[in-house]
Amino acid sequence: MWHCPMTKPEGGVTVKEDNVNLITSKQAVVFIMVTQNGVGILYLPSDMAGHAGHDGWIPVIISGVLSLMVSLAIIALCRRFEGQSILDINRIIFGKFISYILNTIFIIYLFLAAISNLGVLASSIGVWFFRSTPLWVLALYIMLPSVYLASKGLKGVCRFNFLIVITIPVLLSSIALNIHNLRLTNLLPVGVHGIDEIAEALPHTLFAYMGFEALLFLFPFIKDKQRIVKHVMIGSITVTLIFTGFVAASIAVFGEDLLAKRIVALVGLARMIEVPVFERVDLYYFAIWIAAMLLAVNAYLFLTFNTVKKVFKIKSKIILLAGIAFIVLVFTSKLSEDADTIFQINHYSGDALFLLGVLYPILLLIITLITGKGVKKT
Amino acid sequence: MKKIYMFIIVLVVMIFLTGCWDQNIYEKIGFILNTGIDLGSDDKVLITQSYPIISETAGNSGGGGPDESEGIKVETIRAKSNLLRESREIFRLSTSLKLEGGKLQSILIGSDFARERNISEYFELYERDIQSTVQASVVVVDGNASELITKGARFKGKPRLGIYINEVLKRNFMAGYCPDTDIIEYDIINTTPGISPIVPMIKLEGNNIKVTGTALIDRDKMTGQLDTGETACLYLAMGRTKQSEIIFDLPEDIQSEKKKGAVFTRKVITKSKIKFQDNAPTIHFDIKPKVILDEYTWGDITDPEYQNKLEESLNTHIEKCLDNTFKKLQAAKCDAFGIGDKIRAYHYDYWMSIGELDGWKKIYVKMTATFDVKSQIVRYGEIK
């Protein structure tokens, strides 16, 4: 039996003490799913059509399988360290000083993720509804409920995620109500874009799947850790199927040429929906999707708040939340004024996710397997 | 107590959330119902727009002055410009209303413009601007769109022009006499290789608007047209059930003063198959429409032999119509059936070997299409 040095988690708060943050494995998986569904999916069809043409759905499936495998690797890593978070694992493996630097890098990543998600949401509301309203005003109002939820703990954030029962059916209905517009020949012939183009498109799917890395931070808060593998698998397969179906449907409706020129396929699909009595159904879709995106903002704002609190051991919740909100607000307002910058930030977030959420945990797992660090229960 | 404070804070914040900078007053908005695009002088385009006036005071703002019909005031404005956006800016100079395209019913394109300019280039504004609709009908006007909008605004005893045009198009689309193409559908088909858009055609006739059939499009320009009967046949071959009335010649041995018979299509099942002969594609259509005999003097229709004669005559009529229609489509290089799209999807190597779309267009105009119609007269109603 291998033993890790049992340290008190950083920030001086033990897992048991932190009851407002305790969640079930189901809640953890829904947390990941809402993070993935809210923002990333918006740009995915267009991005894929631009990189892999009408075969754009193939890299989405491959990435889904990869994200599941990485999620399982993260679970394996956390389990070796008695269910602690990446912040504690870094400390155990690398010591106090290096872990401080590594954890700060993770904090920068979480800030980037929060800014990119909030930026997409604020600019979407700006384009869809309030054109003259300054972006910082929109971002401020969007952040208020997220900050409030973050202050109430992970349990509060997760309870709000029940909205997924509305947002996923809404997404699926955008396909169902366009079923008469699907042209299957737009998806044929399969595989004509070749392995090179499909492989080239893979990194671009990362931003959409962004969210599975939340397990690195959430793991200590999960009560029924023995069931997490099952729920992560169900969640990952569901998200992969939804993403693949949505990308394939978008290609089938618009064709690869037109889809590559659009920014948000959901907007295009919603604008095509015609139902009796209701006019401009698209506007209802936009309004509902704002809630879906808000869930992703909630998630990353909480993770940022909780991680900063732990790493820098800040006691005052109000000062910490206000500080984080201010930083996120300032950067979002400055960086989200045009679509190209938002795309750029999303790509940076995707790259950072690849390094910190994919490569790093796998590397750590390999190191711990080789060196034998961590706890291996008999 | 804490919750009460929170509640009060939320209430106070909500007072300021009344639309922020983007408040829209209904009476101060001009809802554009129709946009007309014609060729103008100096390489410019003539943009015509009409919108109803909701408030009396807003209507006195200028422009061409309100047209009154049946108590409804509609203002029509025109501008020569290079861009649609430029024309909107010109309109802003003469109206106090905020013009919005969210309720646009149809984009009317003059036939001269449709033949000479790329049509979809003028739709980009509606596609990009999320507050505009992409479900407005795209319609080619046989003649001048501006004239139709101006005169249409003064029609007596008709609904508002935008609604009137839409109702006429909808009814005729149901009957299969014209297509129903909106902005987004046009753009999708226009950008899909191997399939061409078709759009409805209308004409101003006195105090009426008449559907004249279908405008055929190739590479974003109008290249031909079909009449309403040919459009109905086209829909039969596409396998899309419409409630069309088809008039055909009665067989010679049938005694009738009318000489013509009429059927009403009820259901159609069509199968098409592409074959290759000497590396050249041919397409064969098997069309099985179920029809109801209409306006027929009681006779021997219950006799199977008699019914066969009528069906044969009807089949010949539809086949001839389809031969003629396909030739017109070929002459216009308009691949409305999407044969090229199917070849690209199912015979990709061949598609690449002919040089993709450019090569396909050359082959399409020469390809053979055969139509085998087997209609079945079904009885319906009170009379045998």
Side-chain angles (χ1 to χ4, degrees):
Chain A
M1 190 171 84
W2 297 97
H3 289 279
C4 71
M6 283 307 295
T7 55
K8 200 176 179 184
E10 285 185 45
V13 181
T14 59
V15 175
K16 281 183 182 174
E17 287 165 354
D18 212 349
N19 276 333
V20 286
N21 287 336
L22 280 183
I23 55 170
T24 63
S25 58
K26 270 185 197 166
Q27 283 176 315
V29 171
V30 172
F31 184 97
I32 294 167
M33 285 173 75
V34 297
T35 315
Q36 293 177 321
N37 267 312
V39 177
I41 197 170
L42 291 181
Y43 300 130
L44 189 63
S46 150
D47 224 9
M48 287 303 99
H51 287 97
H54 67 259
D55 290 325
W57 57 274
I58 299 174
V60 179
I61 282 195
I62 296 171
S63 287
V65 174
L66 291 177
S67 77
L68 172 61
M69 287 162 71
V70 175
S71 302
L72 295 177
I74 290 172
I75 293 169
L77 176 71
C78 294
R79 276 185 172 171
R80 284 184 69 83
F81 290 86
E82 287 196 333
Q84 298 194 60
S85 76
I86 191 72
L87 308 173
D88 300 319
I89 295 170
N90 281 340
R91 199 176 174 202
I92 294 163
I93 295 178
F94 300 107
K96 204 173 178 182
F97 181 70
I98 296 175
S99 73
Y100 202 74
I101 296 168
L102 288 170
N103 290 345
T104 308
I105 293 170
F106 271 101
I107 287 172
I108 294 170
Y109 164 71
L110 289 173
F111 264 109
L112 189 66
I115 290 164
S116 60
N117 278 279
L118 182 64
V120 172
L121 174 53
S123 57
S124 300
I125 295 176
V127 171
W128 295 345
F129 296 112
F130 304 117
R131 294 209 165 166
S132 316
T133 308
L135 201 80
W136 70 267
V137 176
L138 295 173
L140 177 68
Y141 279 117
I142 294 163
M143 280 224 304
L144 286 177
S146 301
V147 169
Y148 176 73
L149 276 174
S151 73
K152 294 293 168 193
L154 182 58
K155 208 177 264 180
V157 174
C158 287
R159 281 178 183 165
F160 201 65
N161 286 343
F162 81 92
L163 280 174
I164 198 168
V165 299
I166 299 171
T167 57
I168 288 184
V170 161
L171 186 76
L172 297 178
S173 73
S174 73
I175 302 170
L177 292 170
N178 272 300
I179 207 139
H180 58 288
N181 292 318
L182 297 177
R183 191 184 295 278
L184 292 179
T185 50
N186 281 339
L187 294 166
L188 298 173
V190 175
V192 81
H193 284 270
I195 296 168
D196 290 350
E197 279 181 55
I198 290 168
E200 207 178 287
L202 276 176
H204 297 274
T205 58
L206 268 176
F207 180 71
Y209 282 102
M210 199 167 157
F212 62 82
E213 82 288 2
L215 267 178
L216 286 167
F217 307 96
L218 291 180
F219 212 80
F221 304 123
I222 299 169
K223 285 188 280 188
D224 49 344
K225 291 187 177 65
Q226 72 282 3
R227 299 173 74 186
I228 188 71
V229 171
K230 180 185 155 193
H231 290 141
V232 160
M233 285 178 85
I234 293 170
S236 272
I237 291 168
T238 309
V239 168
T240 307
L241 288 177
I242 291 170
F243 279 19
T244 310
F246 186 65
V247 171
S250 302
I251 297 169
V253 169
F254 296 110
E256 59 183 287
D257 292 336
L258 192 63
L259 185 61
K261 287 176 195 159
R262 310 189 78 90
I263 295 177
V264 182
L266 179 67
V267 170
L269 289 173
R271 291 179 84 191
M272 289 175 75
I273 294 170
E274 242 179 317
V275 289
V277 183
F278 288 101
E279 221 177 309
R280 294 303 303 269
V281 182
D282 49 339
L283 299 177
Y284 297 96
Y285 270 83
F286 303 157
I288 293 169
W289 206 253
I290 285 169
M293 292 195 281
L294 188 66
L295 298 180
V297 175
N298 288 346
Y300 277 110
L301 212 64
F302 170 79
L303 289 178
T304 314
F305 161 70
N306 197 57
T307 310
V308 174
K309 192 175 99 181
K310 271 193 160 187
V311 174
F312 297 113
K313 296 171 187 170
I314 297 170
K315 293 270 165 66
S316 169
K317 206 190 267 185
I318 294 173
I319 291 174
L320 180 57
L321 272 172
I324 290 171
F326 180 75
I327 294 168
V328 172
L329 186 65
V330 168
F331 278 95
T332 304
S333 311
K334 286 284 168 203
L335 298 174
S336 308
E337 278 170 359
D338 74 292
D340 287 339
T341 320
I342 297 171
F343 271 132
Q344 206 57 46
I345 297 168
N346 292 349
H347 283 302
Y348 288 146
S349 306
D351 294 343
L353 173 67
F354 182 67
L355 291 173
L356 298 171
V358 178
L359 278 187
Y360 186 71
I362 291 174
L363 202 69
L364 273 192
L365 184 64
I366 293 168
I367 290 171
T368 54
L369 284 170
I370 293 168
T371 60
K373 282 196 174 183
V375 174
K376 194 189 266 179
K377 283 185 179 171
T378 51
Chain B
M1 200 61 192
K2 201 178 168 187
K3 281 185 181 173
I4 293 171
Y5 285 139
M6 209 55 170
F7 183 68
I8 292 166
I9 290 169
V10 169
L11 275 185
V12 171
V13 169
M14 280 172 74
I15 292 168
F16 297 101
L17 289 173
T18 54
C20 302
W21 280 254
D22 293 274
Q23 191 184 35
N24 279 322
I25 308 291
Y26 183 64
E27 288 83 357
K28 291 183 180 174
I29 298 174
F31 294 105
I32 300 164
L33 294 181
N34 296 102
T35 294
I37 309 175
D38 289 292
L39 278 183
S41 51
D42 307 328
D43 280 340
K44 289 188 174 179
V45 290
L46 175 66
I47 306 290
T48 311
Q49 290 187 327
S50 71
Y51 53 89
I53 293 163
I54 294 152
S55 108
E56 288 291 323
T57 48
N60 296 332
S61 58
D67 297 315
E68 285 186 52
S69 74
E70 305 281 316
I72 299 163
K73 293 180 179 177
V74 176
E75 187 153 299
T76 309
I77 44 180
R78 281 174 223 93
K80 273 183 193 166
S81 60
N82 293 299
L83 306 167
L84 206 59
R85 178 62 80 187
E86 189 186 354
S87 70
R88 278 200 190 177
E89 296 311 309
I90 296 171
F91 295 152
R92 281 205 178 106
L93 299 174
S94 60
T95 176
S96 64
L97 298 180
K98 186 183 175 192
L99 298 178
E100 295 280 4
K103 297 280 178 188
L104 186 72
Q105 302 293 307
S106 50
I107 297 185
L108 307 174
I109 300 158
S111 48
D112 288 345
F113 177 92
R115 284 192 185 95
E116 288 190 25
R117 298 284 185 98
N118 289 333
I119 298 169
S120 70
E121 284 183 15
Y122 292 84
F123 298 161
E124 198 269 351
L125 188 65
Y126 299 101
E127 281 259 36
R128 183 182 292 275
D129 185 357
I130 214 157
Q131 287 171 357
S132 294
T133 177
V134 288
Q135 290 180 1
S137 304
V138 177
V139 186
V140 169
V141 177
D142 192 356
N144 195 294
S146 178
E147 187 192 353
L148 187 141
I149 292 174
T150 312
K151 289 188 177 168
R154 296 195 185 95
F155 280 167
K156 300 282 181 198
K158 298 273 191 307
R160 216 167 284 179
L161 183 65
I163 312 294
Y164 175 41
I165 293 175
N166 258 15
E167 289 297 320
V168 171
L169 287 175
K170 201 172 156 188
R171 255 173 236 297
N172 283 281
F173 172 65
M174 300 270 281
Y177 296 145
C178 70
D180 177 25
T181 310
D182 57 29
I183 294 172
I184 186 67
E185 197 183 337
Y186 183 96
D187 273 345
I188 288 171
I189 296 176
N190 193 45
T191 52
T192 305
I195 185 164
S196 311
I198 50 174
V199 296
M201 261 189 106
I202 58 171
K203 193 179 181 181
L204 179 69
E205 270 194 0
N207 195 27
N208 287 307
I209 284 166
K210 186 182 170 188
V211 169
T212 57
T214 302
L216 306 177
I217 309 290
D218 172 44
R219 299 183 194 214
D220 218 7
K221 289 190 175 78
M222 180 180 160
T223 48
Q225 64 189 83
L226 300 177
D227 63 28
T228 51
E230 289 161 341
T231 309
C233 288
L234 181 73
Y235 274 115
L236 280 180
M238 283 178 171
R240 288 167 68 176
T241 302
K242 301 284 172 191
Q243 293 158 347
S244 315
E245 201 77 51
I246 297 175
I247 313 293
F248 65 103
D249 291 326
L250 287 176
E252 282 178 4
D253 53 345
I254 285 181
Q255 301 285 318
S256 170
E257 283 181 2
K258 289 181 177 169
K259 306 289 181 198
K260 297 274 184 186
V263 288
F264 185 69
T265 56
R266 224 171 133 68
K267 196 178 177 186
V268 61
I269 296 169
T270 299
K271 284 180 185 165
S272 63
K273 197 167 186 182
I274 297 168
K275 284 183 181 170
F276 285 86
Q277 285 175 345
D278 303 325
N279 209 31
T282 59
I283 187 161
H284 177 76
F285 291 86
D286 271 317
I287 305 161
K288 289 176 182 164
K290 279 186 180 171
V291 297
I292 298 164
L293 200 57
D294 218 1
E295 201 181 324
Y296 176 72
T297 317
W298 4 73
D300 304 318
I301 191 64
T302 47
D303 175 8
E305 200 179 321
Y306 198 82
Q307 180 171 334
N308 281 346
K309 273 185 194 174
L310 282 180
E311 284 170 352
E312 280 300 317
S313 185
L314 175 63
N315 294 345
T316 312
H317 171 83
I318 297 173
E319 281 168 8
K320 266 187 194 169
C321 175
L322 279 168
D323 279 333
N324 194 32
T325 304
F326 195 74
K327 279 181 187 130
K328 282 193 177 181
L329 287 170
Q330 284 178 308
K333 292 186 180 174
C334 173
D335 187 359
F337 288 109
I339 303 168
D341 182 44
K342 285 179 187 140
I343 286 180
R344 185 195 56 76
Y346 300 109
H347 306 279
Y348 192 69
D349 291 339
Y350 175 78
W351 175 259
M352 294 305 282
S353 73
I354 58 172
E356 299 179 60
L357 186 61
D358 289 333
W360 168 245
K361 287 284 175 185
K362 287 173 197 158
I363 290 166
Y364 174 69
V365 295
K366 288 185 279 185
M367 81 176 288
T368 309
T370 49
F371 300 93
D372 185 15
V373 181
K374 287 193 178 86
S375 58
Q376 184 194 351
I377 295 172
V378 290
R379 274 165 284 280
Y380 180 78
E382 275 299 303
I383 298 168
K384 274 188 178 178

